[in-house]
């Protein structure tokens, strides 16, 4: 079913979704597949806390099968496809994501909890656009010709060139905050480059990734090019990372898991891209346009109920606007409706899991215990995994609230006096994924953007990635960049070829 208007209410769940939920199996070598052990585990509806479906609890044996299928496809039919054929298939996948758009959006909201509006606009529409964007790169892979100065043996001349070659089987491991979109960020560039993929989605939210693998088959992708294996990080994830048949790991998730995966990858010298956690600052100067506090709060901080890696979780307000801006931000925070994602009027939704709900509540309790002052103190529905948004003042820079990722609707606000101090506080964290500056003074923009230590800097906006804008972290927010042409390079090896002639 084609996607509905982004802001329309879901009154009844599509029958396609209901029938899919009856048997969401892994996709290995083009076939829907239970775990070899026959075991399954539940996935939940965060809005009710009830079991939504059961998925295969895959383990090392299933990973072996999936990697073998991906290797076979890589050596076989996929390697014989012309770049233009890969481009055509990626475009077809994009069309089919749109054609099944409403089903995918409803599935995502039921499984992840997020607003149906975000599911439609980001998970579905932006994922389709991502496949289209990456389709274009499939036909633009190029090396260069190199003049070389090799003097021996006498009488020989040389010409060298580089080739860009697909790295091989890609292990893609994704988090639960944007399940379909994260799968697209990994699968689309890998396919454009000519790689094959084994994707291990987060155990909380595997459903749309399974559906995407089926869409890839429907588009005509050869069997084994895209495999989706469901399971926990400790079993399926770890087995995938360690598998000798995997050439490249692309991981998005927490910094702790990323470090473990990075260390493991180095054991075998696998190529690795790590997109990790964040604790993004928003630095607001006295001369900012205060009308922008609406989008700053709604999109910058509370987008996806704060479950965004570059959410503006630390707001630094220059003293001259502190009282006024804090009042506006607090007013907006109090006004955001909290409820089921199936009703697009709810701008805040349940968190993804009971475990994450407990983590966010513990972060709030720790903030209070450390002496920070909660301004909102709202209430949340008892049923489901809800947490009311909270805004803290009197937050010292060394408190967990300023240093550790909450990954929920919890924001720390603090004043600063001069701009250099604001930038120093913004940089004072182990993370460096995103940051923003808010000012109407171009001089300040040009002066302070180079001083912020983060992979993406927004000016007078926050938390809005684009497919053509490199995305990734400084410091402990990761290694490598996704998006843009660079995303393709993540999946390519450079081979130098040196030709001697007389
Ligand atoms: P997580 O690290 O717990 O899990 C991410 C994925 O890794 C899951 O699929 C999980 O099953 C898997 N995993 C866990 N242990 C593993 C292991 N030992 N070996 C292999 N795989 C393993 O993260 P999460 O809680 O799912 O996601 C939230 C985190 O993701 C936050 O820290 C957030 O900032 C980060 N994130 C970063 C970006 C980015 O682009 N930088 C985007 C989204 C989310």
């Amino acid at each position: 079913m084609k996607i509905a208007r982004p802001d329309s209410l879901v009154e009844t769940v599509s029958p396609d979704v209901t029938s899919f939920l009856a048997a969401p199996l892994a996709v290995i070598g083009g076939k829907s597949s239970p775990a070899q052990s026959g075991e399954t585990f539940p996935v939940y509806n965060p809005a009710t806390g009830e079991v939504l479906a059961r998925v295969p609890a895959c383990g090392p044996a299933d990973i072996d099968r999936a990697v073998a299928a991906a290797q076979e496809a890589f050596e076989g039919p996929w390697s014989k496809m012309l770049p233009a054929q890969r481009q055509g298939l990626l475009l077809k996948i994009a069309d089919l994501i749109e054609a099944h758009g409403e089903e995918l959006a409803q599935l995502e909201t039921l499984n992840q909890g997020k607003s149906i509006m975000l599911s439609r606009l980001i998970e579905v529409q932006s994922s389709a656009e991502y496949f289209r964007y990456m389709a274009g790169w499939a036909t633009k892979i190029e090396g260069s010709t190199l003049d070389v100065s090799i003097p021996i043996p006498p009488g020989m001349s040389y010409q060298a060139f580089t080739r860009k070659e697909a790295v091989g089987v890609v292990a893609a491991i994704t988090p639960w905050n944007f399940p379909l979109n994260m799968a697209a960020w990994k699968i689309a560039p890998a396919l454009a480059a000519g790689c094959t993929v084994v994707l291990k989605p987060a155990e909380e939210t595997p459903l749309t990734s399974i559906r995407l693998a089926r869409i890839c088959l429907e588009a005509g992708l050869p069997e084994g090019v895209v495999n989706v294996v469901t399971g926990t990080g400790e079993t399926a994830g770890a087995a995938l990372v360690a598998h000798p048949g995997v050439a490249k790991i692309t991981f998005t998730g927490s910094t702790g898991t990323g470090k473990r995966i990075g260390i493991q990858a180095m054991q075998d010298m696998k190529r690795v891209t790590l997109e990790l956690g964040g604790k993004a600052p928003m630095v607001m100067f006295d001369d900012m346009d205060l009308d922008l506090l609406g989008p700053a709060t709604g999109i910058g901080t509370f987008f996806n109920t704060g479950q965004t890696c570059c959410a503006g979780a630390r707001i630094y307000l220059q003293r001259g606007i502190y009282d006024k801006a804090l009042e506006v931000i607090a007013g907006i925070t109090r006004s955001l409706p909290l409820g089921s994602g199936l009703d697009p009027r709810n701008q805040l939704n349940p968190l993804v899991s009971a475990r994450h709900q407990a983590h966010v509540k513990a972060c709030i309790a720790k903030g209070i215990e450390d002496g920070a002052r909660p301004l909102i103190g709202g209430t949340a529905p008892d049923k489901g995994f809800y947490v009311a948004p909270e805004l803290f003042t009197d937050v010292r820079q060394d408190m967990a609230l300023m240093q550790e990722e909450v990954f929920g609707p919890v924001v720390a606000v603090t004043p600063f006096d001069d701009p250099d101090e604001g930038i120093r506080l913004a940089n004072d964290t182990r993370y460096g994924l995103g940051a923003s500056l808010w000012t109407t003074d171009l001089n300040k923009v040009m002066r302070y953007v180079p001083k912020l230590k983060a992979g993406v800097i927004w000016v007078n906006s926050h938390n809005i990635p684009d497919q053509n804008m490199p995305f990734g972290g400084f410091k402990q927010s990761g290694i490598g960049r996704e998006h843009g042409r660079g995303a393709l390079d993540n999946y390519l090896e450079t081979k130098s070829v040196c030709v001697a002639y007389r």
Side-chain angles (χ1 to χ4, degrees):
M1 190 164 89
K2 264 197 124 117
I3 203 157
R5 243 189 43 211
D7 60 352
S8 61
L9 188 72
V10 178
E11 291 186 47
T12 47
V13 170
S14 149
D16 292 341
V17 172
T18 316
S19 65
F20 174 83
L21 289 173
L25 297 175
V27 178
I28 298 177
K31 309 280 181 297
S32 290
S33 174
Q36 193 159 302
S37 64
E39 286 173 22
T40 61
F41 65 92
V43 294
Y44 294 89
N45 177 345
T48 62
E50 287 158 7
V51 173
L52 182 64
R54 297 194 69 89
V55 296
C58 293
D62 306 291
I63 293 292
D64 279 348
R65 285 193 294 138
V67 174
Q71 276 177 317
E72 202 179 316
F74 182 72
E75 306 290 343
W78 192 235
S79 65
K80 298 187 180 58
M81 291 251 173
L82 299 173
Q85 290 173 304
R86 294 205 304 275
Q87 177 185 42
L89 285 166
L90 285 166
L91 292 172
K92 186 84 202 294
I93 293 169
D95 290 346
L96 287 173
I97 289 173
E98 281 176 345
H100 296 287
E102 187 59 17
E103 176 196 344
L104 284 164
Q106 292 185 8
L107 202 53
E108 200 71 286
T109 290
L110 286 171
N111 187 189
Q112 205 281 340
K114 68 178 58 200
S115 160
I116 188 71
M117 179 132 66
L118 293 190
S119 289
R120 288 172 180 143
L121 291 175
I122 310 293
E123 304 287 359
V124 174
Q125 200 57 60
S126 143
S127 297
E129 292 306 337
Y130 205 69
F131 272 92
R132 290 202 178 96
Y133 175 84
M134 284 298 163
W137 283 119
T139 51
K140 292 159 196 73
I141 296 169
E142 58 184 23
S144 44
T145 57
L146 310 164
D147 287 347
V148 290
S149 310
I150 303 168
I152 51 166
M156 291 302 271
S157 297
Y158 296 87
Q159 178 66 61
F161 61 94
T162 56
R163 287 177 46 75
K164 293 282 184 180
E165 296 181 1
V167 66
V169 174
V170 171
I173 300 180
T174 47
W176 46 255
N177 62 336
F178 286 94
L180 181 61
N181 204 225
M182 291 293 121
W185 283 20
K186 305 211 175 294
I187 292 174
L191 298 186
C195 294
T196 56
V197 181
V198 179
L199 173 78
K200 209 288 296 165
E203 42 271 58
E204 294 87 349
T205 54
L207 299 179
T208 48
S209 296
I210 296 173
R211 193 65 193 87
L212 178 61
R214 293 193 195 171
I215 284 175
C216 289
L217 290 166
E218 190 183 338
L221 225 59
E223 293 178 351
V225 174
V226 171
N227 306 273
V228 170
V229 184
T230 51
T232 64
E234 295 72 32
T235 52
L240 182 57
V241 168
H243 201 289
V246 165
K248 154 91 192 178
I249 299 162
T250 173
F251 170 78
T252 300
S254 61
T255 293
T257 307
K259 285 183 186 177
R260 281 196 292 283
I261 289 178
I263 290 166
Q264 172 73 47
M266 282 308 108
Q267 302 285 347
D268 311 320
M269 222 36 89
K270 286 176 180 141
R271 279 63 188 129
V272 63
T273 310
L274 302 171
E275 296 285 357
L276 308 178
K279 188 79 182 174
M282 302 166 91
V283 184
M284 300 183 163
F285 291 139
D286 279 347
D287 58 19
M288 81 169 278
D289 176 352
L290 292 176
D291 287 346
L292 294 179
L293 286 172
T297 312
I299 300 172
T301 61
F302 291 122
F303 191 74
N304 206 32
T305 314
Q307 301 167 111
T308 313
C309 47
C310 43
R314 298 181 289 143
I315 304 183
Y316 295 102
L317 295 171
Q318 201 170 0
R319 193 78 62 180
I321 57 165
Y322 182 76
D323 291 335
K324 174 75 194 149
L326 182 60
E327 189 188 328
V328 174
I329 294 168
I332 294 170
T333 307
R334 282 190 193 95
S335 74
L336 295 172
L338 172 65
S340 161
L342 291 175
D343 183 340
R345 288 167 297 193
N346 293 324
Q347 284 171 270
L348 293 173
N349 309 111
L351 301 179
V352 71
S353 64
R355 191 164 68 112
H356 192 53
Q357 178 191 37
H359 160 76
V360 174
K361 283 185 175 174
C363 292
I364 293 174
K366 170 101 172 78
I368 295 169
E369 190 191 309
D370 286 349
R373 191 156 65 95
L375 286 191
I376 309 295
T379 53
D382 292 335
K383 200 162 175 251
F385 308 143
Y386 292 93
V387 175
E390 192 53 274
L391 199 62
F392 279 95
T393 58
D394 298 344
V395 191
R396 284 196 325 271
Q397 189 65 16
D398 63 352
M399 287 183 186
L401 271 181
M402 276 297 182
Q403 297 294 335
E404 303 301 329
E405 197 176 31
V406 178
F407 216 59
V410 179
V411 185
V413 186
T414 205
F416 64 93
D417 289 300
D418 75 274
D420 286 323
E421 185 198 358
I423 301 297
R424 184 183 61 73
L425 293 170
N427 286 335
D428 178 24
T429 155
R430 68 186 169 124
Y431 294 113
L433 189 58
S436 60
L437 274 186
W438 301 74
T439 174
T440 48
D441 181 351
L442 179 65
N443 297 307
K444 285 194 189 125
V445 174
M446 301 313 285
R447 195 176 319 139
Y448 292 113
V449 162
K451 295 194 172 168
L452 279 169
K453 304 283 179 233
V456 187
I457 311 293
W458 290 283
V459 176
N460 295 325
S461 62
H462 193 104
N463 212 3
I464 41 168
D466 182 88
Q467 58 206 9
N468 203 30
M469 219 168 80
F471 185 84
F474 280 29
K475 301 193 271 183
Q476 295 197 23
S477 286
I479 293 177
R481 296 289 180 272
E482 294 189 298
H483 298 190
R485 189 194 184 109
L488 204 71
D489 287 334
N490 289 334
Y491 302 96
L492 295 167
E493 286 280 20
T494 302
K495 180 183 278 177
S496 288
V497 183
C498 184
V499 181
Y501 61 98
R502 288 186 199 278

